[in-house]
Each structure stands twice: as C-alpha cells, then as structure tokens.
Amino acid sequence: MKPSARAGRSTKVATIADVAQLAGVSPMTVSRVINGEQNVRPGTREKVQAAVAELNYVPNQAARHLAGSEPIRIGMLYIDPTAGYLNEFLIGLLNKASLRHVQLIVQRCEAAREGEEKPVAEMIANGIDGLILPPPFCDSQPLLKLVAETDTPAVVVSAGQPPEDVCAVGIDDYQAAYEMTRHLLNLGHHRLGFIIGDPYQSSSSRRLAGFHAAMADAGLNIEEEEVVAQGMFTYRSGLDAAELLLSQERRPTAIFASNDDMAAATVAIAHRMGLDVPSDLTVVGFDDAPLATTIWPELTTVRQPIMEMAGAAVDLLVRHIKARRTGEPLPCEHELKDFELVRRQSDAAPRLRPPLRKAGAS
C-alpha cells in the first residue's frame, strides 16, 4: 500500500504550524483551541481538533507555560492640565506596574477632544494588551467607542459616571462634594460660591450635583444663596472664576473649588483683593494634590487616593487581560475607593461683621 503524504509526517514531531497548515487556519487559532478559548467557531474548532488527532500533536508544556507568562503591555494616554494630579497618578502607575512586572507605555496627547483617537489607535495596532484612561480621556466618547470596536480591555479612572461596559476605578464624587458642602454649612456659611470643573468631564457634573443637593437639604434658597462660576480644572481658569465670584455685590463667604488648582487660584485672588483667608473668606478644594500643602494657608480639601486608584487600575486591568488569555473573560468591575475630608488652615466660621453704614448716617 502506498503511504499517504501525511503518513510521512509522523516520523517527526508535529508542530503547531503543521496543525495550522493541515486545518487551514492560523497558528493563533490553533493556540486558542488548545487553550480552550471560547471565541472560536465550532466548525473551526472541529477542524483543529481533527488535525491535532491526525498528527498526534502534543503541546509543548514549557512553551505553554512561557506563553502564560507573556509580558503584559499597558498603555496610558495623558494630557497635563493639572500637574499635581498627573504626578500622583504616574507614581501610582509606575509603582504597581513594577510590582506586577507590567510594561507601561505612556503617550502624551497634545489636546483633549482633538485627535485623541490617533495615539490610542497606534498603541492598539502595535499590540497593546490594555489601556488605562485617566481624566479627561475617561469621558471621551470617541475613545470609548474605539476601545469597544477593537475589543481592547480598558479601565477608566475618576470618571464621575463610568459606562457600565467598561471597567472603572474612582470615588463617589457626588457624596464627596455633598459632605464638603455640609462642612461649610456647619461652619455657619450660607452664601457659598462654587467653581465648576471642566464641563466635558462627568466628575464635574457629579460634584456640582452634590453641592446643589447639600444646599437644598439645608433648606437654603439656592438662587439666592449660591453663586457658581465655570472653570476648567486649571489654575488659570480658577483665577478668572474666583475674580468673578469675588466681584459680586454680595460676595460669598466661602468658595468651594472643584479641584485644588482652582482653589489655590482663588486664594491668590483673595490675597490680591486684600481679603484674609480664612478670616474674610473660606476656600476649600478637591483632590488633596501636593499643591494643597505648598500654598499658604494650606488647603482644606477632599482627599481622593490618586496613587491608590492608579495602582488599582493596573491590578484590575491585569486581572482582565490574564482572564482573557485563559479564555475566561471577567465581567466589568467598578471599584469605588474611600475619600476623606482633610481640614487644614483655609476654612473657618464666617466673621461676624457690623452692617455697613449708609453715607451721611450718624
């Protein structure tokens, strides 16, 4: 009997390439079938299994072990509107990436909302395993759409309202702003100013909503007792917003800024106008970035654990990447971290002042 062409192949050890050639698929597809991954069509799976049986292919256990230990490459896109937040975030990322033996690829984007998809698309094309998206990219609809279309594991950080189908790490911005506002009210302030953050970031709207809710729950007439100004989370925008608030005929006795950069700017404007902080004006912030303790007076603020959140994002992403590699993807997870109200020297009860006398009054 004439031996078949395939019979001659049995004289050498079959490789994954031999199985792929016989089944008419790629070596990657063979690997997925062997590793039990579910994203393979039943007909294709049957072809691969038949080829494995015919060639008596035995997977190399050492090679499979190495494949399971394949390095993980994580990408992170950033822009630098608030250096304090970014520095804390990068330290958290680098520390955790080192502990988890993860390769971290950091890519700067020159301007948010303008061409931010391009660097991310390039990272995905170059074989990135997953993405971490801090503010403001955590709320970018084009980026989230790109992540979904390419089926790339991702974790958004500090998104006030993260999508249900994307993993997320953050704090409860609404509750944090609510508690800070209650703190100001308990000090005796009723006329409150609020500086809103970047309107394109969902955390801004959540913090504003918490502020509104605390004012309403205190029974105050919001239209009469609160005044708000738009900021962009930058120091420069905080200067403009604070000047607007403090130029009111009936200016607030306390200003709550949506981050520490804008709070620091408010302190600077108050000093320029001859106001003492906190005797004449209470100023509080949000984040507890390093800037909060490098200005005078030091800021009372909401501490969100930025470094811890960055590390948690790495852990969460690595867990999901490894689960995908074993063919057992995990459902999306949203991790909420604890925040803390930190009191320093920039808040106090409002000073009692005698009413202004009208000109000519005795």
Side-chain angles (χ1 to χ4, degrees), residues 12 22 32 68 79 115 146-147 158 174 179 226 229 231 242 295 329-330:
K12 69 181 182 73
L22 180 57
R32 287 172 179 161
I79 192 170
L146 177 62
V147 164
S158 293
Y174 174 95
E179 292 187 16
E226 74 169 38
I295 67 167
L330 300 171

Side-chain angles (χ1 to χ4, degrees), residues 245-294:
L245 293 177
L246 293 176
S247 297
Q248 301 286 319
E249 182 176 354
R250 182 171 168 243
R251 67 170 180 252
T253 61
I255 292 178
F256 179 6
S258 290
N259 76 341
D260 292 336
D261 286 63
M262 296 191 298
T266 301
V267 172
I269 292 295
H271 288 165
R272 195 191 74 185
M273 296 176 69
L275 300 174
D276 179 74
V277 177
S279 297
D280 297 317
L281 177 70
T282 279
V283 179
V284 299
F286 203 109
D287 285 341
D288 198 25
L291 178 64
T293 55
T294 56

